[in-house]
Amino acid sequence: MSTSLIDLQKVGMTYEAASGPVEALADISLRVGTGEFVSLVGPSGCGKSTLLRIIAGLRPATKGMVEVTGEQVTRPIPDIGMVFQAPILLKWRSILRNVLLPAELAGRDAGKLRDRALALLDMAGLGGFAEKLPRELSGGMQQRAALCRALLLDPPLLLMDEPFGALDAMTRDDMALELLRIWGETSGARKTVLFVTHSIAEAVFLSDRVVVITPRPGRVAADIAIDLPRPRTVELRASEAFGRLNFDVFRALTGRAG
Amino acid sequence: MTLSALVGRYWPTAALFALLLALWQLAVSALEIRPYLLPSPAMVWNALWQAGFSWWPHLWITSLEIVGAFFMAAIVGVALGTAVAWSPLVANALMPFLVFVNTLPKVAIAPLLLIWIGYGILPTMVMGALIGFFPVVINTAVGLSQVETDMLDLGRVFSAPKWKIFLKIRIPNALPYILSALKITATAAVVGAIVGEFVASQAGLGYVIANTQSSMNTAVAFASLIWISAIGLALYGVVVLAARLWAPWAEGVE
Ligand SMILES: Nc1ncnc2c1ncn2[C@@H]1O[C@H](COP(=O)(O)OP(=O)(O)O)[C@@H](O)[C@H]1O
Ligand SMILES: [Mg+2]
């Protein structure tokens, strides 16, 4: 494995909720190498979103050690693309200005990135919606706009929380291929991606590794290497190896042995 | 809205209004009610245009006071609301004072305002502003604070400084709240202006009403009321239009 970009050791997270403490993550140890594409799958409520927030430095873990690029994470880490589970578009801004928001917040020249933003929207099939307000778009379209926003500054690390959750099956498969292209599957310089999904097939299709998390409190149930050839193609979905890996992940997820 | 839709929606109101006017006119002539008790609609209509004096200076003064009070309340309200939302320390320090000022009966302060500020339109403006500023403080503070945590996290992901999050996320989020409070302020400014004129003034629609007491010219008092509500409605309408224009995403947020 290449040098590890993300390094989690025995990470635990307990929320202090009004009704008492909620242990979201029990004991997560995980390494993600630079340029790796790793998916997280697990039942709802097992702490996947929590884990992404911890890695991004948005919430401190209550236990364990979190390092990104060899440094302890104590506050929001710079140069990441984050796709939250909800689109979180600013409802007063047009789609284009939402996509440009990272530039403005980070103090970069938004004017210079306008063409890039428009190209990203085109890629996501939103070319005609740049000047629309978020409420004029469907949930799936809003999610794609949020993806464009995360990609605007071309970050080397992408943390993606069910980014395709609201998309129909067809669009979803198209977006998966686009994501692989953006990730840099065929070019030399690959980004690092940590990708949360509910779809086993999507995780297997995209990833170098699929990490299965147990029901709450989350632990790593299995870490499955996906040794399928790249670049991944649509035909791959019909192959026997693809089916077998899907079944491996399914077994780990449902806790069934052999 | 198209013309036919407007007619469809408002004809019951118009019909009821016409009916009431007719009944009023009938009652006044049939029962021979003396005009200083209740003038007929026709007399009020006449007074609206020919009162024996020019309405213009009074309309001008009162409008000026109302608009002045409105902007004072808006500016001071937004400033205080922002201070309250900026830091819990400021909020804890300020809020008790603001609540205290808000619960004071403003009419009771009017004579004091005259002593402190002197005569003229300024004390009347301050009066209107005092009545109308509090909802703006509250709605500004609420609108600036009630931002989804996810949105703030978005700002943190890009290491945006606090002022930038204020400018790009909190302030736009607060805009519909502020505009909604300004509708209340518009009405309060009218009340304040008239109360201020009652207490001390040489001109204005409130002054005209106060003087009809001695002249027994009730029709002129009615006409003043109509002018006052016309100014009030116009200001309210401008705020509603501004809300449509500046916060179109929040249509229906009240
Ligand atoms: N801010 C919070 N306060 C209290 N409990 C929370 C909070 N966020 C998440 N949780 C709880 O932590 C658990 C994990 O949540 P989450 O990370 O969103 O799971 P997932 O993304 O895997 O569905 C859930 O039981 C959830 O109710
Ligand atoms: Mg989640």
Side-chain angles (χ1 to χ4, degrees):
Chain A
M1 201 206 277
S2 45
T3 55
S4 74
L5 182 76
I6 302 173
D7 193 350
L8 307 175
Q9 308 246 330
K10 299 186 176 304
V11 168
M13 176 73 182
T14 304
Y15 286 107
E16 294 304 331
S19 53
V22 177
E23 191 180 20
L25 295 170
D27 174 16
I28 300 275
S29 295
L30 178 69
R31 284 166 170 246
V32 178
T34 305
E36 248 191 322
F37 197 124
V38 176
S39 287
L40 293 175
V41 295
S44 282
C46 72
K48 303 181 296 295
S49 299
T50 301
L51 190 61
L52 289 198
R53 281 170 191 279
I54 290 173
I55 295 169
L58 293 172
R59 300 272 179 288
T62 49
K63 270 192 341 206
M65 187 210 70
V66 182
E67 279 186 8
V68 175
T69 52
E71 276 179 52
Q72 186 108 22
V73 174
T74 51
R75 58 197 154 92
I77 56 175
D79 299 326
I80 62 164
M82 181 113 185
V83 183
F84 294 86
Q85 197 167 345
I88 332 174
L89 298 172
L90 304 186
K91 47 189 181 286
W92 52 86
R93 285 181 164 237
S94 69
I95 294 300
L96 175 62
R97 294 192 58 231
N98 262 290
V99 173
L100 287 170
L101 182 71
E104 292 178 30
L105 289 179
R108 302 260 301 261
D109 185 352
K112 281 198 183 128
L113 286 160
R114 206 185 130 90
D115 287 342
R116 175 170 167 78
L118 287 169
L120 283 167
L121 284 171
D122 262 337
M123 175 276 295
L126 296 173
F129 295 88
E131 296 307 328
K132 295 269 191 278
L133 286 176
R135 68 167 184 189
E136 297 173 271
L137 271 64
S138 72
M141 293 161 95
Q142 293 189 17
Q143 221 174 15
R144 278 179 273 157
L147 177 67
C148 296
R149 180 181 59 196
L151 294 172
L152 182 75
L153 300 179
D154 200 18
L157 171 61
L158 284 171
L159 303 176
M160 312 178 85
D161 198 350
E162 301 185 35
F164 303 153
L167 303 191
D168 59 87
M170 290 269 291
T171 317
R172 198 168 174 144
D173 291 348
D174 286 348
M175 291 301 292
L177 285 168
E178 278 300 337
L179 179 57
L180 286 178
R181 193 183 59 74
I182 288 159
W183 170 56
E185 187 171 43
T186 52
S187 72
R190 285 180 181 173
K191 298 177 183 302
T192 309
V193 181
L194 193 54
F195 186 91
V196 172
T197 177
H198 269 128
S199 161
I200 296 174
E202 189 170 82
V204 171
F205 182 76
L206 289 168
S207 312
D208 296 319
R209 279 159 60 207
V210 176
V211 174
V212 180
I213 314 278
T214 63
R216 188 170 64 96
R219 300 166 197 278
V220 176
D223 191 334
I224 299 166
I226 308 297
D227 47 5
L228 298 170
R230 290 194 185 272
R232 308 265 162 97
T233 57
V234 183
E235 291 74 36
L236 185 74
R237 292 179 186 271
S239 74
E240 196 212 329
F242 185 75
R244 186 174 42 73
L245 285 164
N246 268 276
F247 190 59
D248 287 348
V249 176
F250 172 77
R251 253 188 348 212
L253 200 53
T254 51
R256 284 180 212 174
Chain B
M1 237 189 263
T2 64
L3 188 63
S4 66
L6 275 175
V7 171
R9 176 154 165 205
Y10 289 113
W11 77 261
T13 316
L16 181 63
F17 184 65
L19 182 72
L20 288 175
L21 276 185
L23 282 177
W24 176 4
Q25 181 75 47
L26 262 177
V28 168
S29 38
L31 304 173
E32 294 181 12
I33 299 176
R34 275 166 293 176
Y36 78 86
L37 282 178
L38 183 65
S40 71
M43 291 172 74
V44 174
W45 178 257
N46 279 337
L48 214 42
W49 310 108
Q50 291 164 331
F53 57 87
S54 170
W55 284 108
W56 286 117
H58 302 293
L59 281 171
W60 167 245
I61 291 286
T62 302
S63 302
L64 205 62
E65 287 163 352
I66 291 175
V67 171
F70 176 82
F71 279 105
M72 257 186 220
I75 293 167
V76 172
V78 168
L80 288 173
T82 307
V84 165
W86 184 262
S87 101
L89 185 75
V90 177
N92 289 339
L94 267 183
M95 275 321 278
F97 288 100
L98 297 179
V99 171
F100 169 71
V101 171
N102 187 49
T103 49
L104 282 178
K106 306 303 175 304
V107 190
I109 316 177
L112 286 176
L113 289 179
L114 293 179
I115 295 174
W116 291 335
I117 310 178
Y119 289 82
I121 59 172
L122 193 58
T124 310
M125 282 183 190
V126 173
M127 183 74 168
L130 275 175
I131 298 181
F133 85 105
F134 197 67
V136 187
V137 178
I138 296 300
N139 274 30
T140 304
V142 167
L144 289 173
S145 320
Q146 290 200 343
V147 180
E148 292 170 50
T149 2
D150 275 353
M151 275 192 196
L152 298 178
D153 278 347
L154 193 64
R156 295 173 60 212
V157 164
F158 299 105
S159 327
K162 189 175 175 181
W163 66 267
K164 221 173 219 177
I165 289 183
F166 233 83
L167 198 67
K168 306 224 178 252
I169 297 179
R170 289 188 189 271
I171 290 179
N173 188 70
L175 205 52
Y177 292 83
I178 296 172
L179 287 163
S180 173
L182 288 180
K183 289 180 196 165
I184 303 171
T185 305
T187 323
V190 176
V191 176
I194 301 306
V195 167
E197 289 180 355
F198 276 1
V199 175
S201 61
Q202 289 86 47
L205 296 167
Y207 166 85
V208 170
I209 293 181
N211 274 13
T212 54
Q213 272 180 348
S214 51
S215 67
M216 299 277 229
N217 196 344
T218 316
V220 167
F222 270 74
S224 295
L225 280 179
I226 293 175
W227 283 125
I228 292 166
S229 53
I231 300 173
L233 278 175
L235 182 59
Y236 190 86
V238 168
V239 178
V240 170
L241 272 182
R244 292 236 174 101
L245 205 65
W246 293 334
W249 69 88
E251 284 284 83
V253 174
E254 287 301 320

